[in-house]
Amino acid sequence: MNRNQRSSKISNDTVKSLEAIVGKENCLTDPEDLKCYGCDASKYEYLPDAVLLPENAGQIPDVLRLANLEKFPVVPRGAGSGLTGGTLPVYGGVVLSLKRMNRIIDIDEENLTTRVQPGVVTADLQKAVAKRGLFYPPDPSSLAFSTIGGNIASCAGGPRAVKYGVTRDYVIGLQAVLPTGEPIRTGVRTAKGVVGYDLTKLIVGSEGTLAVVTEAVLKLIPQPESRRTLLAAFEDLLAAARTVTRIIKARIIPCALEFMDANAIQCVAQYQNVQLPKSAGAMLLIEVDGAQETVVRHTGDIKRLCLEEGAVEIETAASDADSEKLWNARRAVAPSLFKIKPFQISEDIVVPRSRIPEMVGFLQAIGRRLRLDVVCFGHAGDGNIHVCIMVDPKDSDEMRRVRQAVSEIFDQTIQMGGTLSGEHGVGITKAPYIRKEIDAFGIDVMRRIKAAFDPNNVLNPGKIFPDEASVTGFMQ
Amino acid sequence: MNRNQRSSKISNDTVKSLEAIVGKENCLTDPEDLKCYGCDASKYEYLPDAVLLPENAGQIPDVLRLANLEKFPVVPRGAGSGLTGGTLPVYGGVVLSLKRMNRIIDIDEENLTTRVQPGVVTADLQKAVAKRGLFYPPDPSSLAFSTIGGNIASCAGGPRAVKYGVTRDYVIGLQAVLPTGEPIRTGVRTAKGVVGYDLTKLIVGSEGTLAVVTEAVLKLIPQPESRRTLLAAFEDLLAAARTVTRIIKARIIPCALEFMDANAIQCVAQYQNVQLPKSAGAMLLIEVDGAQETVVRHTGDIKRLCLEEGAVEIETAASDADSEKLWNARRAVAPSLFKIKPFQISEDIVVPRSRIPEMVGFLQAIGRRLRLDVVCFGHAGDGNIHVCIMVDPKDSDEMRRVRQAVSEIFDQTIQMGGTLSGEHGVGITKAPYIRKEIDAFGIDVMRRIKAAFDPNNVLNPGKIFPDEASVTGFMQ
């Protein structure tokens, strides 16, 4: 079910020029290679004409200058773990994989910063800084393979965002190449800086459409002294949601405050080797970190609040290994879903956290009404709900009902003061919907910013903006 | 010594149109009023042609549409407490004071956000949220009178930035009017959101050149349970700086880590009613906050580190009143400087925090070499040094030496990997120097962003960008 939408291939001469820039061994054109770099976690596929794997930042300006001259697309790519198709070459052209630029350049313990190349895997950076007692908090579920460059492009979040914020909050400076080929340096290497417009935070989350990041300066913080995890089961989601509200009202900000609805619990209990109270209507996975004394006290406070709100079971991890077990239950949700049906349409809505029960109620009702398997889980502390609708793409009637559900879900999200995407980005899969959230004036100014950076629209075209984007429903 | 640089007045007909938009009582044209709104804390003065005080956001689009039609400047203004002239009408036109739009619209305790109009005074907001046990951390020294709108325009910091970050870190959504008159809504009201480019963070710190902010959604956090302050005197700055490094290396992030050099201490001791060890070569004001147990432990750790690095005197506040006394010593620096000479040239450089002693050494040497009164104090935890050169503007030879000193200081700052401004912005006073920090490609892309927002350059023209800016050294 794959189909390539691009209109024209780049010429053999262009391929030769690209080989001259990055080296023959770093320019791939074999069909097998093109296929590997033509898909991502969105499950869509669009083949590029060539794949480049530059070894250093110095090679990138020439690639972009050539692209402007010959008007072919250049699509930056990290690990390809994005869920919205942000890294797919929808108009063909060149995929620019940054994975060979994967050095941690330095870790500065006195100034609490690190300088990294974009291809560094997030988990590798976290381990390297942890050895020095330091902490890089952003923790997208993909962290074992996704890269800092990809995390920057999508402004990746994760469970810890509730306390520690998202990727944007840790990027203080960049080296990047503009779409027209000029290298720029943005932001600072220091704790603060307000000279000129904040290009750094503008590039973060721009999904590789404004610049190719070649180096990032990231802020680090001290590793928390201590951490404690607990898993609480409730009879219904309302009780779990009340608990979330009461924890926040008690002025405790856990470093994770995750939830699963009844469908998610049943999936995990049925398909994975994880012990869970199957009858529970909702579960919360709560983790607190910080100074040891405070963690102990806050864990006690949270347990009391869970019980007061009617928790039917609470499990507290006594060790790191125990804590891992509890996290496994949460992490098992996504893989276990595929036991229901072969594909999922995964949404990433956010509502004000106090409105989670109302929203999940709405989602469950829509599942019943449109006869769809809807599973909800995610970051309750942020109001960020991952809504998974399990589908069989061969069932065209079901696919029609899914599209209707997604449109209704987005309308309801906006009506509740929420946003269509908390951490996955827009890419191609959400582009048709962004007018629901951003008005015409906002989209116009964003388009003008894109044109100010990329007059020939060569860098990652066909993403974010409606109309231009071309999701046509062809899945792998 | 004031002089107005603008080339043309707006016509009487235009004034009538503006009166029709905002109401006659909200449009000022008396010379006394124009004078009040023609200066700020930079001490420069440029008279506007009219001052508007809109009462609601609905009046602002028409003002900007008229400005685009008749090509006159519109200069947004908060409390006028900025130090770099960012709010001065350098080309005349209309000053748009947001001070009458000063409502706290809501404080949402469940979702930890507040919605405010731009004219809300920062300290008033802090008091209002503190009553609910919540905390809005940014604390520029001007907080008793500066407004949230002004704080957003300049991305204000303050002592607490070392632990809690700056204004940018707390602004999650905006309502604003584009320079061409279209109202837009940016960002989210939720904890996360990644739909489209981050216009919110781009507008924060843009010094009123990209949009007029009419409403902001700010993130709040729980009020820390406990706080403790101490003041430590050292024989020399090197010992104080070593202490800063050791505190950070001990993985303690205080909520304030301020320093004063010997000149600052002498100023305060001589001119203010504050008891300080006059012979001290440097002082640190350190504050820790958080859970009670941790604050007690960290205060002990910090005291020990101060003593190990040779502190000659340590004073710990036993109560809030005592803590205020210690803060008074730090706050007395700026006012006491004016006892030396009537004016100051105030710089706001940042270097990696480990390089503070080297930088202050350089600053002291430049003072001796160029026979200038140089006083250094500021946020040691951020590497943010406020360098005050005290001057008599009538002494033209001294002014020449000051200009030479400033240029050398900026060169050294950049050479150390620092930035020209940590929290004061660029405005007009630093615009001639920004090429030292931002290369031509960076400035070009910023100019293109400005043009994308403001094709007729009506909103706060003459700021940030070099060449265009027109500081000609005329002070009040």
Side-chain angles (χ1 to χ4, degrees), chain A residues 109-111 132 168 192 194 197-198 209 225 251 293-294 297 353-354 382 384 421 423 448 452, chain B residues 110-111 132 168 192 194 197-198 209 225 251 293-294 297 353-354 382 384 421 423 448 452:
Chain A
E109 292 185 56
E110 291 193 2
N111 297 300
R132 322 266 189 111
R168 180 180 291 118
K192 289 197 280 197
V194 288
Y197 298 148
D198 193 341
T209 65
E225 283 171 23
R251 308 300 176 227
E293 322 84 331
T294 319
R297 177 157 58 90
R353 72 165 75 81
S354 59
D382 290 328
N384 190 182
S421 184
E423 49 187 28
R448 292 200 299 269
Chain B
E110 291 192 4
N111 297 300
R132 322 266 189 110
R168 181 180 290 118
K192 289 197 280 197
V194 288
Y197 299 146
D198 192 342
T209 65
E225 283 171 21
R251 308 301 176 225
E293 322 84 330
T294 319
R297 176 158 56 89
R353 70 166 74 82
S354 59
D382 290 328
N384 190 182
S421 185
E423 49 187 29
R448 291 200 300 269

Side-chain angles (χ1 to χ4, degrees), chain B residues 42 44 87 92 119 128 132 188 231 258 274 297 343 376 450 458:
Chain B
S42 74
Y44 289 88
T87 197
R132 322 266 189 110
V188 288
L231 192 69
E258 302 282 301
V274 180
R297 176 158 56 89
F343 290 100
C376 299
K450 169 66 173 167
V458 299

Side-chain angles (χ1 to χ4, degrees), chain A residues 14-174:
Chain A
T14 305
V15 171
K16 288 225 157 54
S17 304
L18 292 169
E19 284 176 351
I21 297 168
V22 297
K24 208 169 172 5
E25 67 287 8
N26 297 324
C27 176
L28 315 177
T29 50
D30 282 354
E32 295 78 4
D33 290 324
L34 300 186
K35 205 169 157 60
C36 287
Y37 288 89
C39 55
D40 67 4
S42 74
K43 305 271 177 186
Y44 289 88
E45 182 181 298
Y46 295 84
L47 293 190
D49 298 314
V51 176
L52 304 183
L53 298 123
E55 288 175 338
N56 60 66
Q59 298 171 336
I60 295 169
D62 283 343
V63 173
L64 285 160
R65 278 193 282 263
L66 190 65
N68 277 275
L69 214 61
E70 305 198 1
K71 309 281 184 297
F72 61 81
V74 174
V75 182
R77 181 182 172 99
S81 54
L83 289 158
T84 58
T87 197
L88 298 179
V90 290
Y91 299 122
V94 163
V95 163
L96 189 75
S97 166
L98 281 311
K99 74 177 178 188
R100 292 201 183 156
M101 290 171 55
N102 64 351
R103 267 195 323 125
I104 298 175
I105 300 164
D106 68 32
I107 297 171
D108 182 338
E109 292 185 56
E110 291 193 2
N111 297 300
L112 302 187
T113 57
T114 179
R115 220 148 47 96
V116 299
Q117 290 188 321
V120 171
V121 169
T122 308
D124 292 346
L125 177 66
Q126 288 179 337
K127 278 176 218 150
V129 304
K131 277 188 201 151
R132 322 266 189 111
L134 296 173
F135 188 31
Y136 176 71
D139 60 341
S141 325
S142 57
L143 62 84
F145 42 93
S146 67
T147 63
I148 294 294
N151 290 184
I152 288 173
S154 59
C155 187
R160 288 198 284 247
V162 60
K163 178 168 179 178
Y164 290 107
V166 295
T167 302
R168 180 180 291 118
D169 301 309
Y170 293 86
V171 185
I172 61 174
L174 294 173

Side-chain angles (χ1 to χ4, degrees), chain A residues 307-321:
Chain A
L307 290 171
E308 283 178 15
E309 293 301 339
V312 291
E313 202 177 310
I314 300 177
E315 207 172 327
T316 314
S319 66
D320 280 359

Side-chain angles (χ1 to χ4, degrees), chain B residues 356-416:
Chain B
I356 285 188
E358 195 182 338
M359 189 69 202
V360 175
F362 175 87
L363 295 166
Q364 288 169 342
I366 232 176
R368 285 191 299 271
R369 177 159 56 81
L370 295 174
R371 291 170 291 119
L372 294 168
D373 287 304
V374 177
V375 180
C376 299
F377 61 99
H379 315 307
D382 290 328
N384 190 182
I385 307 172
H386 294 321
V387 188
C388 291
I389 310 179
M390 303 316 296
V391 296
D392 178 354
K394 294 197 195 91
D395 182 342
S396 64
D397 181 66
E398 188 179 55
M399 288 304 285
R400 189 190 52 73
R401 281 177 280 129
V402 168
R403 280 192 293 273
Q404 188 186 335
V406 169
S407 183
E408 286 185 32
I409 291 166
F410 285 164
D411 286 339
Q412 179 70 11
T413 303
I414 297 302
Q415 195 261 313
M416 284 185 178

